[in-house]
Amino acid sequence: MKTWQKTAMVAAGGSAALLGGALAFQFLGGYAPCKLCIWQRWPHGIAIALGLLLVLVPLRSLALLGALVVAVGATIGGYHAGVEWGIFAGPDTCTSSPIDGMSVGDLLAQIEATPVVRCDEVVWSLLGLSMAGWNALFSAALVVLWLRAFVQARRA
């Protein structure tokens, strides 16, 4: 296996670790994921598959695709953290909207339509960052690794 493939495998392994951590929080820690949490998992799953594919088909373009996919995941994580901090409005399906001027019937309908797990509430944090924030940071680091693999492949 060439150096650039090893670098890509480390990046894919990072995605596996992040996805494994998210699943551990869900199934061992009891933290049910919201809609945006689920969206953040898909790019890591794709990155893992790309890493495995690189072993069989050593195309450097797959490393660039890995960087792009994980960058999408970092962007979703950053957006989700922004929703939690109140910087961005979250999707209507997983956040609450203001209740000013609502009738009792409208308020009840909103309560019934709001999912149990909301995207705009932080359920766990470390050093002031939620899981979404940490995912965004670690995913950005993985983007750098995927890009490094691409550059290494180009030089080889």
Side-chain angles (χ1 to χ4, degrees), residues 41-59:
R41 294 176 183 189
W42 282 100
H44 291 300
I46 294 167
I48 294 164
L50 287 171
L52 295 173
L53 184 60
L54 265 171
V55 174
L56 302 173
V57 184
L59 296 173

Side-chain angles (χ1 to χ4, degrees), residues 11-61:
S15 281
L18 288 173
L19 186 55
L23 293 171
F25 269 99
Q26 180 179 349
F27 293 109
L28 301 177
Y31 293 97
C34 71
K35 183 179 194 174
L36 290 175
C37 293
I38 299 295
W39 288 359
Q40 291 173 75
R41 294 176 183 189
W42 282 100
H44 291 300
I46 294 167
I48 294 164
L50 287 171
L52 295 173
L53 184 60
L54 265 171
V55 174
L56 302 173
V57 184
L59 296 173
R60 72 175 188 195
S61 59

Side-chain angles (χ1 to χ4, degrees), residues 4 14 20-21 25 38 51 55 59 99 101 116-117 120 126 130 148 151:
W4 72 271
F25 269 99
I38 299 295
V55 174
L59 296 173
I99 60 171
V116 176
V117 181
D120 57 354
L126 176 66
S130 66
R148 183 174 179 183
V151 170

